Amino acid sequence: MSISHFYQAYGLTFKSDRPIDSLLSVEAQSAQVSINRGVIADHIDQRIFTTRHANWRAAKDVFSLDIENVAKYLVRNGNEIRIEAAPGASDEDINAFLISSAFAALLQQRRLLTLHASAIMTDHGSVLFVGLSGSGKSTTLAALSDKGYEMVTDDIAALAVADDGTAEIIPSFPFARLRGDAIAKLGKSKEDYSRLRSKVEKYIVPMRGFDAAPKPVQRIFLLDINEKPEIDVKPLGFTDAFYWLSYFTFRKRFYDGLQLGDFHFQRLSKFVHATPVHKIYRPDYPYMLDELIGRIVEEIGVPMVDQKALAID
């Protein structure tokens, strides 16, 4: 008799036939999403796919991903993921693509907006940090977590956008994915953490104060770099904000493949109309992490735990 493992992420309970160390384990009897290992060819007719790319295919409510020497993934109807592992592939590598691209397809099938972002919680709502890979999203998250802010998500921000454009972000799981140099910037050692993938210099770093309840979105910062040796913040108008958030949609092309391109455009447009978006600039070198975090805290306010401490003083 096989053992089932239950996990929680993005407001969903997952039932898996294999352990997944990078997810939050919970006690449960039922789940909204199943994750199982098996031969994918036995479960899908390849002729159904209407969109085909080098390593992924899609149709309405069906998505297939093939990562060479790692695994094939089949995601269907927002409630099923099947994984066919490649011979010799490590669980770390298999799970890394599961919680990124496969989860993105699943969340999109469930009609959520996926942004490439990290996020923390403030007294007024959640604040998102979007940007290119390496722009400092996870580093900013980890540094703010050290300041007492509650983590909401890292890498993928899953948003439920209402008709009036207001949105709730659905928390992911309580760890960040940090490179070794980012861990060093935080004054910590990468040797204290597990690798996200077997041959990739990224590590799983637990965060403090995680709460799985959905959070209202208050504002967004777009992390960027300029040549000035200072931190600068500028508001973006609708056109620029829409362009950049469309650009930083996590796996944006999946929406088109899943026949959800119109959904993405309409929900993102409503969201941008209702949500303040600012660009925050820092120099490429020196990094000025302390100054960046200080300016963000000025913009968003100190966390509640610090406000209480100040009141006592």
Side-chain angles (χ1 to χ4, degrees):
M1 182 177 178
S2 61
I3 298 175
S4 295
H5 307 267
F6 290 89
Y7 302 95
Q8 187 177 66
Y10 299 108
L12 300 168
T13 301
F14 294 79
K15 179 181 178 181
S16 173
D17 63 352
R18 301 290 182 93
I20 306 172
D21 292 340
S22 49
L23 293 182
L24 180 65
S25 179
V26 295
E27 293 186 6
Q29 298 297 321
S30 61
Q32 295 104 324
V33 182
S34 65
I35 304 175
N36 295 295
R37 299 280 183 101
V39 179
I40 286 178
D42 295 342
H43 295 267
I44 193 71
D45 182 350
Q46 296 291 327
R47 293 174 296 180
I48 70 168
F49 292 114
T50 54
T51 300
R52 299 169 185 267
H53 288 268
N55 68 345
W56 65 272
R57 299 178 179 185
K60 187 177 185 298
D61 292 325
V62 184
F63 174 87
S64 174
L65 175 69
D66 186 353
I67 303 299
E68 187 177 6
N69 298 323
V70 177
K72 297 178 181 178
Y73 304 81
L74 176 66
V75 186
R76 291 193 291 198
N77 302 315
N79 63 14
E80 176 190 359
I81 300 176
R82 180 165 290 272
I83 303 170
E84 181 179 339
S90 69
D91 285 340
E92 292 87 353
D93 289 348
I94 293 168
N95 291 337
F97 287 99
L98 168 68
I99 65 174
S100 56
S101 293
F103 269 24
L106 181 90
L107 295 168
Q108 291 177 15
Q109 288 174 358
R110 298 184 74 91
R111 306 316 190 254
L112 295 169
L113 186 63
T114 56
L115 295 181
H116 197 185
S118 65
I120 52 95
M121 187 63 185
T122 74
D123 299 332
H124 305 290
S126 61
V127 175
L128 278 63
F129 303 95
V130 303
L132 294 168
S133 294
S135 62
K137 298 182 295 297
S138 299
T139 306
T140 300
L141 163 66
L144 288 168
S145 175
D146 286 347
K147 293 286 187 183
Y149 294 91
E150 176 186 301
M151 174 192 177
V152 178
T153 195
D154 184 38
D155 204 37
I156 304 177
L159 308 178
V161 181
D163 288 340
D164 64 358
T166 58
E168 286 189 325
I169 181 170
I170 306 173
S172 55
F173 24 79
F175 70 82
R177 286 159 269 204
L178 292 171
R179 297 185 307 190
D181 59 344
I183 293 173
K185 286 186 178 73
L186 297 167
K188 303 175 183 180
S189 171
K190 66 182 182 182
E191 305 303 326
D192 294 332
Y193 306 105
S194 301
R195 281 183 181 264
L196 177 65
R197 292 181 56 193
S198 58
K199 297 180 180 179
V200 175
E201 183 74 359
K202 268 197 174 182
Y203 299 84
I204 298 173
V205 180
M207 295 287 107
R208 58 192 287 178
F210 181 80
D211 176 23
K215 318 284 194 256
V217 176
Q218 189 225 352
R219 67 192 297 188
I220 296 176
F221 286 103
L222 171 62
L223 301 177
D224 205 352
I225 293 171
N226 65 11
E227 296 179 356
K228 298 179 181 179
E230 60 187 27
I231 308 298
D232 194 16
V233 180
K234 294 181 180 179
L236 295 183
F238 173 82
T239 301
D240 286 340
F242 181 87
Y243 170 83
W244 285 113
L245 292 188
S246 179
Y247 184 81
F248 290 121
T249 295
F250 194 90
R251 304 298 187 259
K252 178 184 175 183
R253 293 190 298 171
F254 290 3
Y255 281 106
D256 292 328
L258 293 166
Q259 299 180 20
L260 292 170
D262 288 343
F263 166 84
H264 172 261
F265 179 88
Q266 292 166 7
R267 289 289 139 173
L268 183 62
S269 179
K270 291 176 184 291
F271 176 61
V272 173
H273 270 298
T275 309
V277 181
H278 291 73
K279 262 195 178 186
I280 184 163
Y281 297 90
R282 66 165 175 84
D284 189 20
Y285 184 82
Y287 195 104
M288 294 180 66
L289 179 61
D290 291 341
E291 292 84 353
L292 174 65
I293 298 304
R295 183 59 186 274
I296 290 172
V297 171
E298 288 180 13
E299 294 283 331
I300 66 177
V302 297
M304 179 62 77
V305 62
D306 285 353
Q307 290 183 16
K308 291 178 179 178
L310 289 172
I312 293 172
D313 292 341

